[in-house]
Amino acid sequence: MILLAVFGLFALHTAQIWSYALVFRLLDEFPTFEAALYFSTVSFSTLGYGDLTLGPAWRLLGAIEGINGLVLIAWSTAFLLTVTQRLRVLEHDWLEREDD
């Protein structure tokens, strides 16, 4: 169950990163989709290497992606911890029923 939650969150973050990359490519900010995907991944994870940058017209969009990624990764961590905690409670209840 925990692996399902982890892979689900990973898939959602991947879709978000690819969506931003598609927007950057459609705005013609990068010559290839690979470059747009690389920039999007680095921005979403808030690493921000700076080897690829957006033009002045779309710089704010890159910053928004960074903030969005930070919030969503933090939310995903909290969600995963909640799922883990609830599964432990269910397991504990299940084990107590077996003892009866």
Side-chain angles (χ1 to χ4, degrees):
M1 193 61 140
I2 292 174
L3 280 177
L4 182 64
V6 168
F7 286 128
L9 291 171
F10 185 77
L12 287 172
H13 289 303
T14 300
Q16 293 159 350
I17 291 168
W18 279 64
S19 297
Y20 272 106
L22 182 62
V23 168
F24 294 138
R25 185 64 191 113
L26 291 174
L27 292 173
D28 206 27
E29 284 294 307
F30 298 102
T32 64
F33 183 75
E34 185 274 331
L37 184 61
Y38 170 77
F39 176 82
S40 182
T41 303
V42 169
S43 295
F44 193 85
S45 64
T46 66
L47 287 174
Y49 288 135
D51 52 345
L52 294 177
T53 58
L54 295 173
W58 297 107
R59 247 186 292 208
L60 189 57
L61 184 59
I64 290 170
E65 181 183 9
I67 293 168
N68 187 18
L70 177 68
V71 169
L72 290 175
I73 289 171
W75 174 83
S76 296
T77 302
F79 174 77
L80 191 57
L81 287 174
T82 301
V83 167
T84 303
Q85 182 182 25
R86 288 186 183 185
L87 286 174
R88 283 185 180 173
V89 168
L90 287 173
E91 181 182 33
H92 182 266
D93 291 346
W94 182 75
L95 288 174
E96 281 187 359
R97 286 184 195 155
E98 253 188 33
D99 288 341
D100 291 341

XYZ file of all heavy atoms in Angstrom:
803
model
N 0.815 -1.186 0.000
C 0.000 0.000 0.000
C 0.867 1.262 0.000
O 0.560 2.221 -0.696
C -0.927 -0.038 1.219
C -2.004 0.981 1.154
S -3.031 0.714 -0.266
C -4.592 1.030 0.386
N 1.937 1.218 0.789
C 2.827 2.379 0.836
C 3.520 2.572 -0.509
O 3.657 3.700 -0.988
C 3.853 2.234 1.980
C 3.132 2.314 3.321
C 4.920 3.319 1.897
C 4.003 2.034 4.514
N 3.930 1.462 -1.129
C 4.556 1.568 -2.452
C 3.604 2.146 -3.479
O 4.014 2.937 -4.344
C 5.052 0.191 -2.913
C 6.376 -0.261 -2.336
C 6.706 -1.668 -2.805
C 7.481 0.691 -2.700
N 2.336 1.798 -3.388
C 1.340 2.359 -4.290
C 1.245 3.872 -4.109
O 1.203 4.620 -5.094
C -0.026 1.706 -4.043
C -1.164 2.158 -4.941
C -0.890 1.777 -6.385
C -2.465 1.541 -4.467
N 1.250 4.331 -2.867
C 1.206 5.772 -2.590
C 2.468 6.459 -3.105
O 2.394 7.531 -3.720
C 1.038 6.014 -1.093
N 3.620 5.840 -2.892
C 4.879 6.436 -3.344
C 4.915 6.532 -4.865
O 5.233 7.593 -5.427
C 6.092 5.618 -2.826
C 7.379 6.042 -3.516
C 6.222 5.766 -1.332
N 4.569 5.448 -5.549
C 4.588 5.474 -7.012
C 3.516 6.410 -7.566
O 3.727 7.057 -8.591
C 4.429 4.067 -7.586
C 5.671 3.231 -7.438
C 5.601 1.975 -6.871
C 6.909 3.697 -7.855
C 6.748 1.198 -6.722
C 8.054 2.943 -7.710
C 7.970 1.680 -7.147
N 2.375 6.499 -6.888
C 1.340 7.435 -7.306
C 1.810 8.876 -7.203
O 1.619 9.682 -8.126
N 2.442 9.215 -6.087
C 2.977 10.567 -5.915
C 4.077 10.851 -6.932
O 4.147 11.942 -7.501
C 3.498 10.759 -4.494
C 2.435 10.800 -3.405
C 3.096 10.768 -2.030
C 1.543 12.013 -3.550
N 4.935 9.874 -7.158
C 6.000 10.030 -8.146
C 5.413 10.288 -9.532
O 5.888 11.159 -10.263
C 6.894 8.784 -8.158
C 8.085 8.912 -9.061
C 9.189 9.649 -8.671
C 8.096 8.292 -10.300
C 10.281 9.770 -9.514
C 9.183 8.409 -11.143
C 10.288 9.154 -10.742
N 4.367 9.554 -9.879
C 3.716 9.744 -11.181
C 3.085 11.131 -11.288
O 3.179 11.783 -12.340
C 2.666 8.660 -11.401
N 2.462 11.593 -10.219
C 1.858 12.931 -10.236
C 2.919 14.014 -10.398
O 2.738 14.953 -11.191
C 1.058 13.168 -8.956
C -0.253 12.409 -8.845
C -0.850 12.589 -7.449
C -1.234 12.881 -9.900
N 4.022 13.894 -9.670
C 5.091 14.889 -9.800
C 5.717 14.839 -11.194
O 6.042 15.887 -11.761
C 6.152 14.693 -8.730
C 5.692 15.060 -7.355
N 5.199 16.297 -7.033
C 5.634 14.342 -6.218
C 4.865 16.331 -5.761
N 5.105 15.144 -5.243
N 5.864 13.660 -11.729
C 6.399 13.527 -13.084
C 5.484 14.218 -14.090
O 5.956 14.945 -14.972
C 6.572 12.039 -13.450
O 7.493 11.446 -12.513
C 7.101 11.867 -14.857
N 4.184 14.021 -13.962
C 3.227 14.676 -14.864
C 3.301 16.197 -14.729
O 3.235 16.921 -15.733
C 1.810 14.179 -14.576
N 3.466 16.689 -13.511
C 3.570 18.134 -13.303
C 4.840 18.685 -13.937
O 4.810 19.736 -14.605
C 3.545 18.447 -11.804
C 2.217 18.122 -11.159
C 2.327 17.934 -9.649
O 3.412 17.862 -9.086
N 1.174 17.845 -9.001
N 5.945 18.003 -13.761
C 7.215 18.446 -14.339
C 7.132 18.448 -15.857
O 7.549 19.404 -16.519
C 8.370 17.549 -13.841
C 8.616 17.805 -12.351
C 9.642 17.772 -14.647
C 9.525 16.791 -11.684
N 6.586 17.393 -16.419
C 6.455 17.311 -17.876
C 5.500 18.377 -18.399
O 5.704 18.908 -19.496
C 5.994 15.915 -18.292
C 7.118 14.921 -18.341
C 7.871 14.493 -17.293
C 7.624 14.244 -19.485
N 8.807 13.585 -17.716
C 8.679 13.414 -19.052
C 7.276 14.249 -20.824
C 9.394 12.622 -19.929
C 7.994 13.435 -21.701
C 9.037 12.642 -21.255
N 4.462 18.716 -17.642
C 3.531 19.769 -18.067
C 4.240 21.119 -18.145
O 4.064 21.864 -19.119
C 2.354 19.870 -17.097
O 1.606 18.692 -17.099
N 5.029 21.436 -17.127
C 5.799 22.683 -17.176
C 6.780 22.664 -18.343
O 6.953 23.670 -19.036
C 6.565 22.900 -15.868
C 5.781 23.619 -14.802
C 5.282 22.939 -13.699
C 5.550 24.991 -14.877
C 4.574 23.601 -12.707
C 4.839 25.655 -13.892
C 4.361 24.963 -12.811
O 3.656 25.614 -11.836
N 7.435 21.526 -18.562
C 8.388 21.420 -19.673
C 7.693 21.662 -21.005
O 8.230 22.345 -21.882
C 9.065 20.053 -19.658
N 6.493 21.126 -21.155
C 5.733 21.335 -22.386
C 5.398 22.813 -22.570
O 5.521 23.353 -23.677
C 4.455 20.490 -22.362
C 3.572 20.562 -23.602
C 4.322 20.060 -24.827
C 2.308 19.762 -23.387
N 5.015 23.472 -21.495
C 4.724 24.916 -21.574
C 5.974 25.687 -21.985
O 5.919 26.550 -22.868
C 4.171 25.436 -20.226
C 4.143 26.958 -20.189
C 2.792 24.871 -19.960
N 7.118 25.379 -21.360
C 8.357 26.069 -21.717
C 8.727 25.836 -23.177
O 9.202 26.740 -23.852
C 9.510 25.624 -20.814
C 9.356 26.019 -19.377
C 9.668 25.127 -18.366
C 8.888 27.271 -19.016
C 9.540 25.484 -17.031
C 8.745 27.640 -17.690
C 9.072 26.744 -16.686
N 8.498 24.616 -23.648
C 8.812 24.306 -25.052
C 7.851 25.025 -25.982
O 8.264 25.561 -27.017
C 8.744 22.783 -25.259
C 9.170 22.336 -26.622
C 10.656 22.651 -26.876
N 10.939 22.446 -28.267
C 11.250 23.413 -29.121
N 11.384 24.644 -28.726
N 11.474 23.138 -30.382
N 6.567 25.058 -25.626
C 5.591 25.766 -26.467
C 5.848 27.270 -26.494
O 5.539 27.938 -27.489
C 4.167 25.488 -25.984
C 3.657 24.062 -26.204
C 2.297 23.874 -25.540
C 3.598 23.730 -27.684
N 6.411 27.802 -25.418
C 6.778 29.224 -25.380
C 8.089 29.480 -26.121
O 8.534 30.616 -26.221
C 6.917 29.688 -23.925
C 5.639 29.739 -23.112
C 5.945 30.051 -21.646
C 4.670 30.763 -23.692
N 8.695 28.414 -26.627
C 9.953 28.474 -27.378
C 11.101 29.036 -26.538
O 11.948 29.769 -27.035
C 9.774 29.291 -28.666
C 10.770 28.890 -29.734
O 11.226 27.733 -29.713
O 11.106 29.741 -30.572
N 11.110 28.673 -25.269
C 12.171 29.119 -24.369
C 13.418 28.248 -24.471
O 14.496 28.680 -24.086
C 11.674 29.147 -22.923
C 10.793 30.324 -22.615
C 11.547 31.657 -22.699
O 12.597 31.785 -22.052
O 11.074 32.540 -23.433
N 13.256 27.023 -24.952
C 14.380 26.097 -25.070
C 14.356 25.461 -26.449
O 13.278 25.219 -27.015
C 14.323 25.027 -23.980
C 14.428 25.597 -22.588
C 13.315 25.734 -21.795
C 15.654 26.029 -22.106
C 13.404 26.282 -20.533
C 15.754 26.584 -20.845
C 14.622 26.714 -20.052
N 15.530 25.145 -27.007
C 15.573 24.603 -28.372
C 15.053 23.168 -28.477
O 14.586 22.763 -29.542
C 17.058 24.668 -28.734
C 17.780 24.689 -27.429
C 16.863 25.364 -26.456
N 15.112 22.394 -27.381
C 14.650 21.002 -27.415
C 13.760 20.726 -26.208
O 13.828 21.435 -25.195
C 15.838 20.015 -27.368
O 16.511 20.156 -26.123
C 16.798 20.251 -28.520
N 12.957 19.681 -26.338
C 12.128 19.288 -25.212
C 12.993 18.758 -24.069
O 12.673 18.958 -22.904
C 11.090 18.230 -25.631
C 10.170 17.857 -24.512
C 9.152 18.707 -24.112
C 10.344 16.662 -23.825
C 8.316 18.385 -23.059
C 9.508 16.326 -22.766
C 8.492 17.185 -22.390
N 14.096 18.120 -24.406
C 14.995 17.597 -23.371
C 15.520 18.728 -22.495
O 15.586 18.614 -21.271
C 16.152 16.825 -24.012
C 17.075 16.135 -23.018
C 18.193 17.041 -22.501
O 18.615 17.958 -23.229
O 18.615 16.838 -21.349
N 15.897 19.841 -23.112
C 16.387 20.995 -22.347
C 15.276 21.571 -21.476
O 15.504 21.927 -20.313
C 16.937 22.058 -23.292
N 14.075 21.645 -22.026
C 12.931 22.150 -21.254
C 12.617 21.225 -20.085
O 12.322 21.687 -18.975
C 11.707 22.295 -22.160
N 12.699 19.917 -20.317
C 12.439 18.943 -19.254
C 13.512 19.018 -18.171
O 13.203 18.958 -16.980
C 12.364 17.536 -19.843
C 12.016 16.416 -18.876
C 10.640 16.640 -18.251
C 12.043 15.071 -19.603
N 14.752 19.173 -18.572
C 15.841 19.316 -17.611
C 15.627 20.566 -16.746
O 15.711 20.507 -15.522
C 17.184 19.390 -18.339
C 18.337 19.771 -17.448
C 18.904 18.839 -16.583
C 18.856 21.066 -17.471
C 19.959 19.190 -15.753
C 19.909 21.425 -16.642
C 20.453 20.491 -15.794
O 21.482 20.845 -14.966
N 15.349 21.704 -17.391
C 15.120 22.935 -16.643
C 13.935 22.785 -15.709
O 13.980 23.212 -14.546
C 14.888 24.113 -17.599
C 14.543 25.380 -16.880
C 15.535 26.177 -16.330
C 13.221 25.767 -16.718
C 15.224 27.337 -15.647
C 12.895 26.922 -16.034
C 13.898 27.711 -15.492
N 12.865 22.170 -16.201
C 11.668 21.994 -15.390
C 11.941 21.116 -14.174
O 11.502 21.422 -13.062
C 10.548 21.382 -16.241
O 9.376 21.242 -15.495
N 12.690 20.039 -14.357
C 13.016 19.146 -13.246
C 13.874 19.855 -12.199
O 13.617 19.762 -10.999
C 13.749 17.891 -13.764
O 12.935 17.251 -14.745
C 14.054 16.922 -12.641
N 14.864 20.592 -12.661
C 15.748 21.320 -11.747
C 14.976 22.411 -11.012
O 15.171 22.625 -9.823
C 16.953 21.898 -12.531
C 17.739 22.871 -11.680
C 17.844 20.782 -13.024
N 14.068 23.070 -11.703
C 13.272 24.127 -11.069
C 12.263 23.548 -10.089
O 12.097 24.060 -8.980
C 12.538 24.950 -12.124
O 13.463 25.642 -12.923
N 11.561 22.498 -10.494
C 10.526 21.889 -9.647
C 11.118 21.362 -8.347
O 10.505 21.467 -7.289
C 9.829 20.760 -10.412
C 8.563 20.269 -9.774
C 7.361 20.896 -10.016
C 8.577 19.170 -8.944
C 6.187 20.451 -9.433
C 7.414 18.707 -8.350
C 6.211 19.346 -8.603
N 12.317 20.812 -8.430
C 12.962 20.268 -7.233
C 13.695 21.351 -6.446
O 14.285 21.065 -5.414
C 13.939 19.160 -7.620
O 14.982 19.695 -8.404
N 13.656 22.571 -6.920
C 14.283 23.768 -6.329
C 15.802 23.674 -6.250
O 16.414 24.361 -5.439
C 13.692 24.129 -4.939
O 14.017 23.111 -4.000
C 12.193 24.329 -5.001
N 16.416 22.834 -7.086
C 17.881 22.818 -7.159
C 18.390 24.092 -7.817
O 19.326 24.718 -7.335
C 18.376 21.602 -7.952
C 18.253 20.257 -7.263
C 18.636 19.147 -8.236
C 19.110 20.202 -6.032
N 17.784 24.450 -8.947
C 18.115 25.692 -9.634
C 19.585 25.848 -9.975
O 20.219 26.794 -9.547
N 20.136 24.926 -10.757
C 21.557 24.992 -11.113
C 21.932 26.299 -11.801
O 22.989 26.828 -11.577
C 21.944 23.822 -12.017
C 22.004 22.504 -11.307
C 21.446 21.373 -11.874
C 22.637 22.370 -10.082
C 21.505 20.150 -11.235
C 22.704 21.156 -9.422
C 22.139 20.053 -10.023
O 22.200 18.850 -9.393
N 21.083 26.802 -12.671
C 21.376 28.052 -13.368
C 22.118 27.883 -14.674
O 22.460 28.865 -15.322
N 22.377 26.634 -15.082
C 23.053 26.439 -16.359
C 22.114 26.709 -17.538
O 22.561 27.083 -18.614
C 23.690 25.055 -16.456
C 22.726 23.926 -16.141
O 21.647 24.194 -15.583
O 23.053 22.767 -16.438
N 20.815 26.534 -17.327
C 19.801 26.925 -18.294
C 18.880 27.929 -17.609
O 18.493 27.732 -16.455
C 18.973 25.716 -18.753
C 19.681 24.636 -19.553
C 18.730 23.487 -19.847
C 20.238 25.191 -20.848
N 18.546 28.982 -18.312
C 17.672 29.994 -17.723
C 16.592 30.399 -18.722
O 16.739 30.204 -19.928
C 18.463 31.250 -17.306
O 19.121 31.774 -18.453
C 19.480 30.931 -16.227
N 15.533 30.960 -18.173
C 14.460 31.493 -19.010
C 14.780 32.929 -19.393
O 15.519 33.620 -18.685
C 13.132 31.457 -18.246
C 12.586 30.082 -17.884
C 11.360 30.231 -16.985
C 12.223 29.296 -19.124
N 14.167 33.352 -20.486
C 14.312 34.745 -20.886
C 13.580 35.659 -19.907
O 12.751 35.198 -19.106
N 13.852 36.949 -19.958
C 13.238 37.889 -19.010
C 11.710 37.862 -19.010
O 11.089 38.070 -17.976
C 13.749 39.253 -19.475
C 14.984 38.964 -20.258
C 14.794 37.607 -20.853
N 11.107 37.576 -20.138
C 9.639 37.592 -20.234
C 8.995 36.464 -19.430
O 7.859 36.599 -18.976
C 9.209 37.503 -21.693
N 9.712 35.361 -19.232
C 9.122 34.185 -18.569
C 9.858 33.754 -17.306
O 9.609 32.695 -16.762
C 9.055 33.016 -19.564
C 8.159 33.333 -20.702
C 8.543 33.621 -21.980
C 6.744 33.449 -20.671
N 7.446 33.902 -22.740
C 6.318 33.800 -21.964
C 5.781 33.293 -19.687
C 4.994 33.993 -22.293
C 4.443 33.480 -20.019
C 4.063 33.827 -21.303
N 10.761 34.586 -16.816
C 11.510 34.254 -15.603
C 10.611 33.990 -14.403
O 10.867 33.104 -13.601
C 12.454 35.397 -15.252
C 13.893 35.029 -15.388
C 14.745 36.131 -14.896
N 14.618 37.272 -15.806
C 15.549 38.168 -15.996
N 16.651 38.110 -15.319
N 15.380 39.141 -16.851
N 9.568 34.764 -14.284
C 8.656 34.604 -13.154
C 7.972 33.237 -13.181
O 7.720 32.644 -12.134
C 7.609 35.725 -13.158
C 6.713 35.819 -11.938
C 7.542 35.967 -10.670
C 5.766 36.987 -12.074
N 7.691 32.718 -14.380
C 7.088 31.393 -14.495
C 8.017 30.315 -13.929
O 7.565 29.380 -13.266
C 6.738 31.084 -15.955
C 6.007 29.781 -16.219
C 4.687 29.730 -15.450
C 5.764 29.611 -17.707
N 9.313 30.458 -14.145
C 10.277 29.523 -13.565
C 10.290 29.589 -12.046
O 10.372 28.569 -11.364
N 10.177 30.804 -11.510
C 10.116 30.965 -10.051
C 8.831 30.357 -9.492
O 8.846 29.726 -8.431
C 10.207 32.438 -9.687
N 7.744 30.536 -10.197
C 6.465 29.958 -9.769
C 6.558 28.437 -9.757
O 6.056 27.790 -8.841
C 5.311 30.456 -10.659
C 5.050 31.936 -10.383
C 4.052 29.622 -10.459
C 4.108 32.597 -11.366
N 7.223 27.860 -10.757
C 7.385 26.402 -10.762
C 8.191 25.941 -9.553
O 7.871 24.930 -8.936
C 8.060 25.913 -12.036
C 8.192 24.411 -12.047
C 8.907 23.844 -13.242
O 9.487 24.612 -14.037
O 8.902 22.604 -13.382
N 9.227 26.680 -9.197
C 10.028 26.320 -8.033
C 9.216 26.342 -6.748
O 9.283 25.419 -5.934
N 8.419 27.384 -6.568
C 7.571 27.478 -5.373
C 6.514 26.381 -5.396
O 6.249 25.729 -4.381
C 6.926 28.872 -5.280
C 8.001 29.915 -5.013
C 5.857 28.916 -4.201
C 7.541 31.340 -5.187
N 5.931 26.154 -6.552
C 4.931 25.105 -6.712
C 5.530 23.741 -6.370
O 4.933 22.946 -5.638
C 4.403 25.123 -8.144
C 3.259 24.193 -8.378
O 2.607 23.737 -7.460
N 3.002 23.910 -9.640
N 6.716 23.463 -6.876
C 7.380 22.193 -6.584
C 7.684 22.031 -5.109
O 7.466 20.956 -4.535
N 8.169 23.088 -4.481
C 8.472 23.037 -3.054
C 7.232 22.708 -2.233
O 7.247 21.822 -1.379
C 9.066 24.376 -2.600
C 9.385 24.510 -1.118
C 10.543 23.600 -0.745
C 9.718 25.956 -0.799
N 6.143 23.392 -2.530
C 4.891 23.169 -1.799
C 4.353 21.765 -2.059
O 3.940 21.057 -1.131
C 3.847 24.247 -2.163
C 2.470 23.886 -1.629
C 4.283 25.607 -1.651
N 4.366 21.336 -3.312
C 3.799 20.022 -3.638
C 4.647 18.871 -3.097
O 4.096 17.857 -2.664
C 3.603 19.894 -5.146
C 2.493 20.777 -5.708
C 2.444 20.683 -7.226
C 1.147 20.425 -5.110
N 5.959 19.015 -3.092
C 6.801 17.966 -2.527
C 6.601 17.902 -1.015
O 6.521 16.816 -0.433
C 8.281 18.174 -2.914
C 8.454 17.882 -4.415
C 9.212 17.289 -2.084
C 9.809 18.253 -4.982
N 6.492 19.061 -0.374
C 6.222 19.070 1.073
C 4.855 18.458 1.370
O 4.702 17.674 2.314
C 6.293 20.496 1.612
N 3.860 18.800 0.573
C 2.519 18.237 0.760
C 2.555 16.724 0.561
O 1.933 15.972 1.324
C 1.535 18.873 -0.215
C 0.185 18.247 -0.164
C -0.810 18.517 0.720
C -0.312 17.209 -1.021
N -1.901 17.716 0.462
C -1.622 16.910 -0.598
C 0.219 16.505 -2.104
C -2.389 15.935 -1.223
C -0.556 15.546 -2.713
C -1.838 15.273 -2.265
N 3.286 16.278 -0.430
C 3.389 14.840 -0.693
C 4.059 14.114 0.461
O 3.664 12.999 0.821
C 4.182 14.588 -1.973
O 3.494 15.118 -3.080
N 5.067 14.726 1.056
C 5.734 14.134 2.210
C 4.758 14.001 3.375
O 4.682 12.949 4.022
C 6.947 14.980 2.624
O 7.838 15.076 1.508
C 7.664 14.377 3.808
N 4.004 15.059 3.636
C 3.009 15.021 4.716
C 1.947 13.960 4.430
O 1.532 13.220 5.326
C 2.360 16.386 4.887
N 1.514 13.870 3.190
C 0.510 12.876 2.799
C 1.051 11.466 3.014
O 0.359 10.602 3.573
C 0.116 13.082 1.333
C -0.805 12.029 0.806
C -2.152 12.039 1.124
C -0.323 11.021 -0.014
C -3.011 11.063 0.641
C -1.166 10.038 -0.497
C -2.512 10.059 -0.172
N 2.290 11.235 2.600
C 2.896 9.910 2.743
C 3.051 9.536 4.220
O 2.806 8.387 4.605
C 4.238 9.869 2.032
C 4.880 8.507 1.870
C 3.967 7.545 1.128
C 6.199 8.649 1.136
N 3.424 10.486 5.042
C 3.535 10.208 6.478
C 2.167 9.897 7.077
O 2.044 9.016 7.935
C 4.169 11.392 7.195
C 5.663 11.566 6.945
C 6.161 12.862 7.582
C 6.444 10.386 7.465
N 1.127 10.591 6.641
C -0.228 10.317 7.120
C -0.682 8.924 6.709
O -1.264 8.183 7.511
C -1.209 11.379 6.591
O -0.775 12.667 7.031
C -2.620 11.127 7.063
N -0.418 8.558 5.463
C -0.780 7.220 4.982
C -0.052 6.160 5.794
O -0.655 5.170 6.235
C -0.460 7.074 3.474
C -0.522 5.618 3.035
C -1.417 7.915 2.645
N 1.235 6.360 6.028
C 2.022 5.401 6.806
C 1.468 5.270 8.225
O 1.327 4.159 8.751
C 3.498 5.842 6.850
O 3.976 5.970 5.516
C 4.345 4.846 7.605
N 1.154 6.396 8.839
C 0.618 6.372 10.204
C -0.723 5.631 10.253
O -0.957 4.817 11.142
C 0.452 7.793 10.717
C -0.059 7.872 12.127
C -0.262 9.311 12.573
O -0.461 10.201 11.755
N -0.203 9.532 13.873
N -1.585 5.903 9.301
C -2.891 5.230 9.291
C -2.755 3.734 9.048
O -3.497 2.933 9.625
C -3.808 5.869 8.259
C -4.271 7.231 8.683
C -5.272 7.804 7.766
N -5.624 9.143 8.212
C -6.556 9.874 7.670
N -7.253 9.401 6.647
N -6.811 11.074 8.114
N -1.825 3.351 8.199
C -1.600 1.926 7.961
C -1.064 1.238 9.207
O -1.429 0.099 9.499
C -0.655 1.722 6.779
C -1.258 1.992 5.407
C -0.187 1.901 4.329
C -2.398 1.038 5.109
N -0.229 1.929 9.970
C 0.272 1.349 11.223
C -0.859 1.167 12.229
O -0.911 0.163 12.938
C 1.356 2.236 11.816
C 2.667 2.102 11.119
C 3.732 2.901 11.798
N 4.989 2.748 11.084
C 6.070 3.426 11.366
N 6.068 4.311 12.343
N 7.166 3.232 10.677
N -1.771 2.131 12.304
C -2.914 2.007 13.213
C -3.790 0.839 12.789
O -4.219 0.039 13.619
C -3.724 3.327 13.247
C -5.063 3.136 13.932
C -2.920 4.416 13.932
N -4.035 0.717 11.484
C -4.839 -0.408 10.991
C -4.160 -1.739 11.286
O -4.812 -2.704 11.687
C -5.096 -0.262 9.493
C -6.079 0.812 9.071
C -6.093 0.946 7.557
C -7.466 0.507 9.601
N -2.849 -1.792 11.099
C -2.112 -3.017 11.375
C -2.173 -3.350 12.869
O -2.374 -4.513 13.251
C -0.656 -2.860 10.937
C 0.180 -4.095 11.172
C 1.632 -3.896 10.786
O 2.142 -2.770 10.937
O 2.244 -4.876 10.347
N -2.035 -2.345 13.696
C -2.100 -2.554 15.145
C -3.474 -3.082 15.548
O -3.582 -4.028 16.330
C -1.786 -1.243 15.874
C -1.779 -1.371 17.360
N -2.880 -1.099 18.130
C -0.794 -1.772 18.208
C -2.579 -1.312 19.393
N -1.317 -1.717 19.468
N -4.536 -2.476 15.011
C -5.897 -2.940 15.307
C -6.110 -4.370 14.828
O -6.735 -5.184 15.500
C -6.937 -2.011 14.674
C -6.979 -0.645 15.329
O -6.402 -0.498 16.427
O -7.574 0.273 14.731
N -5.579 -4.683 13.656
C -5.719 -6.014 13.085
C -5.006 -7.051 13.957
O -5.524 -8.137 14.213
C -5.185 -6.024 11.669
C -5.328 -7.346 10.983
C -6.451 -7.906 10.469
C -4.266 -8.291 10.753
N -6.178 -9.114 9.929
C -4.835 -9.384 10.087
C -2.911 -8.297 11.023
C -4.093 -10.487 9.696
C -2.169 -9.404 10.631
C -2.765 -10.484 9.984
N -3.820 -6.705 14.432
C -3.072 -7.633 15.284
C -3.746 -7.827 16.624
O -3.731 -8.938 17.172
C -1.631 -7.118 15.483
C -0.725 -7.216 14.267
C 0.618 -6.542 14.539
C -0.518 -8.659 13.840
N -4.365 -6.789 17.175
C -5.098 -6.940 18.427
C -6.311 -7.831 18.278
O -6.636 -8.595 19.178
C -5.529 -5.557 18.958
C -4.439 -4.810 19.646
C -4.932 -3.532 20.291
O -6.142 -3.211 20.182
O -4.111 -2.841 20.893
N -6.987 -7.769 17.146
C -8.147 -8.634 16.893
C -7.729 -10.081 16.803
O -8.457 -10.986 17.196
C -8.862 -8.219 15.612
C -9.658 -6.961 15.759
C -10.417 -6.662 14.513
N -10.886 -5.285 14.557
C -11.149 -4.570 13.513
N -10.995 -5.066 12.301
N -11.574 -3.333 13.637
N -6.536 -10.325 16.239
C -6.049 -11.703 16.130
C -5.744 -12.312 17.479
O -5.874 -13.503 17.674
C -4.801 -11.734 15.244
C -5.057 -12.334 13.909
C -3.779 -12.549 13.119
O -2.723 -12.836 13.702
O -3.872 -12.434 11.908
N -5.313 -11.476 18.425
C -4.980 -11.949 19.754
C -6.232 -12.362 20.535
O -6.152 -13.147 21.457
C -4.208 -10.877 20.540
C -2.792 -10.722 19.997
O -2.312 -11.636 19.307
O -2.188 -9.669 20.268
N -7.373 -11.779 20.192
C -8.613 -12.081 20.928
C -9.158 -13.415 20.601
O -9.079 -14.298 20.114
C -9.686 -11.029 20.614
C -9.329 -9.688 21.210
O -8.492 -9.643 22.132
O -9.886 -8.684 20.735
